[in-house]
């Protein structure tokens, strides 16, 4: 069997953070994928990637949360849960520390999500058309 | 230059589709905007991480006046039969992607098999839309 460099196991853990940030995963899960004890894993991860696995997982989640704040109109709480965090309070403080603005103010600093969403003209035409109501004025049958 | 930006597929239920596309397929939400002035029309798009300029709209089947009830029923029927649309995905390792998606609960209709063009597998989303997951043969990738 080919020799697998030890850092490959750390990368596997990092990939798991990128892929599964939306689930309630934690550093223990990353350590398990790498096949290392938690303390050893944290040390090795930091040596390989320059930051702790906890910091990596958290900033991955915060990056996704920032994107959702810019591109969706979901509430801050919904976004917090959508990126795998369980406490809105800690999410808000982590986010504020990372971006210098609270989630709400961060969102307000960008154009509203609908400006990004490019809801196309065909949708506006089709969905903006009111339901026709016939009151006899166009010669159609009047409602009973 | 003309490029494909977004393609649409019908879904039975947007919440169910969202959970499937993000949690099982591993796509990212690109836009999720509800417009009250369009009768709460929800523009919901997802796409694969790393391919930022392509997305899929997960479109709910509308009622009147956008679509009459009979047509909506026809679309629902076609979707349930698996004839409403197909998304063709590529991957650099079909068997690995198959194992990964299966572990996350994606139900495959076809396991990975060698084809003249590479290796591919097939699955469906909860609405019945068809997906193919293809690892192109090396001579096709470099072509």
């Amino acid at each position: 069997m080919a020799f697998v460099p030890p850092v490959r196991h750390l990368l596997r853990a990092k990939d798991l953070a990128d892929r599964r940030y939306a689930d309630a995963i934690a550093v223990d899960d990353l350590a398990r994928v790498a096949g290392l004890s938690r303390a050893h894993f944290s040390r090795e991860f930091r040596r390989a990637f320059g930051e702790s696995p906890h910091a990596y997982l958290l900033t991955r989640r915060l990056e996704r949360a920032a994107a959702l704040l810019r591109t969706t109109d979901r509430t801050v709480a919904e976004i917090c849960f959508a990126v795998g965090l369980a406490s809105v309070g800690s999410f808000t403080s982590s986010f504020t520390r990372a971006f210098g603005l609270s989630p709400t103010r961060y969102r307000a600093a960008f154009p509203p999500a609908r400006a990004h969403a490019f809801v196309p003209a065909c949708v506006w035409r089709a969905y903006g058309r009111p339901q026709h109501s016939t009151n006899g004025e166009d010669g159609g049958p009047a409602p009973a | 230059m003309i490029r494909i930006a977004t393609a649409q597929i019908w879904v039975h239920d947007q919440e169910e589709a969202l959970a499937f596309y993000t949690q099982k397929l591993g796509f990212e939400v690109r836009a999720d905007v509800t417009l009250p002035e369009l009768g709460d029309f929800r523009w919901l798009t997802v796409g694969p991480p790393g391919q930022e300029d392509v997305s899929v709209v997960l479109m709910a089947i509308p009622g009147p006046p956008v679509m009459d009830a009979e047509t909506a029923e026809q679309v629902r029927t076609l979707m349930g039969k698996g004839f409403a649309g197909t998304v063709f995905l590529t991957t650099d390792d079909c068997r690995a992607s198959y194992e990964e998606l299966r572990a996350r609960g994606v139900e495959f209709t076809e396991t990975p098999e060698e084809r003249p063009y590479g290796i591919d597998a097939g699955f469906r989303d909860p609405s019945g839309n068809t997906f193919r997951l293809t690892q192109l043969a090396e001579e096709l990738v470099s072509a």
Side-chain angles (χ1 to χ4, degrees):
Chain A
M1 209 167 121
F3 169 74
V4 179
V7 74
R8 180 71 187 85
H9 299 292
L10 299 173
L11 183 60
R12 200 163 281 139
K14 191 162 173 255
D15 288 345
L16 184 73
D18 287 337
R19 225 171 38 229
R20 297 272 309 277
Y21 64 85
D23 299 337
I25 59 165
V27 174
D28 283 342
D29 301 291
L30 303 184
R32 199 168 309 125
V33 165
L36 300 172
S37 74
R38 187 192 155 116
H40 185 46
F41 168 68
S42 290
R43 216 164 36 238
E44 291 302 313
F45 189 97
R46 184 191 283 275
R47 204 203 310 267
F49 301 115
E51 59 187 325
S52 73
H54 175 262
Y56 185 79
L57 181 58
L58 179 63
T59 50
R60 155 65 52 239
R61 285 174 162 146
L62 294 178
E63 179 275 325
R64 291 319 308 158
L68 292 174
L69 286 166
R70 294 193 307 271
T71 60
T72 76
D73 53 15
R74 298 181 188 173
T75 65
V76 170
E78 283 169 336
I79 289 175
C80 164
F81 304 141
V83 299
L85 294 171
S87 154
V88 180
S90 355
F91 165 62
T92 302
S93 19
S94 309
F95 189 95
T96 308
R97 207 162 36 240
F99 289 90
L101 291 172
S102 71
T104 312
R105 294 187 59 187
Y106 178 87
R107 167 175 269 166
F110 289 91
R114 57 164 59 196
H116 282 284
F118 296 123
V119 177
C122 57
V123 168
W124 284 93
R125 267 204 309 277
Y127 288 78
R129 207 161 54 89
Q131 180 82 54
H132 182 55
S133 62
T134 302
N135 290 313
E137 77 273 18
D138 63 356
Chain B
M1 186 168 70
I2 295 176
R3 295 165 59 83
I4 293 181
T6 303
Q8 178 232 297
I9 56 175
W10 297 115
V11 296
H12 180 70
D13 178 292
Q14 283 180 311
E15 275 307 316
E16 179 190 52
L18 182 63
F20 176 83
Y21 282 83
T22 56
Q23 292 162 23
K24 294 193 175 175
L25 197 48
F27 280 13
E28 290 176 340
V29 175
R30 295 283 162 72
D32 183 1
V33 175
T34 302
L35 302 167
E37 64 270 50
L38 298 184
D40 282 342
F41 170 82
R42 184 178 181 192
W43 178 255
L44 177 61
T45 70
V46 295
Q51 197 179 21
E52 310 302 323
D53 59 347
V54 177
S55 60
V56 176
V57 189
L58 306 178
M59 189 78 94
I61 299 169
V66 180
M67 194 182 272
D68 63 275
E70 190 188 337
T71 308
E73 197 46 44
Q74 288 170 339
V75 174
R76 255 188 288 278
T77 303
L78 285 175
M79 200 173 65
K81 289 180 177 175
F83 292 128
T86 301
V87 177
F88 296 87
L89 303 173
T90 58
T91 168
D92 49 10
D93 188 338
C94 181
R95 294 184 207 279
S97 301
Y98 165 77
E99 291 299 340
E100 185 183 328
L101 295 185
R102 209 171 57 130
R104 280 191 244 154
V106 174
E107 288 172 29
F108 276 79
T109 50
E110 293 173 61
T111 55
E113 272 189 50
E114 304 269 354
R115 314 272 179 196
Y117 51 84
I119 303 172
D120 75 357
F123 62 93
R124 292 186 190 288
D125 76 359
S127 300
N129 296 303
T130 311
F131 278 79
R132 291 213 72 80
L133 180 65
T134 306
Q135 173 187 345
L136 286 172
E138 270 177 37
E139 63 268 24
L140 295 177
V141 175
S142 51

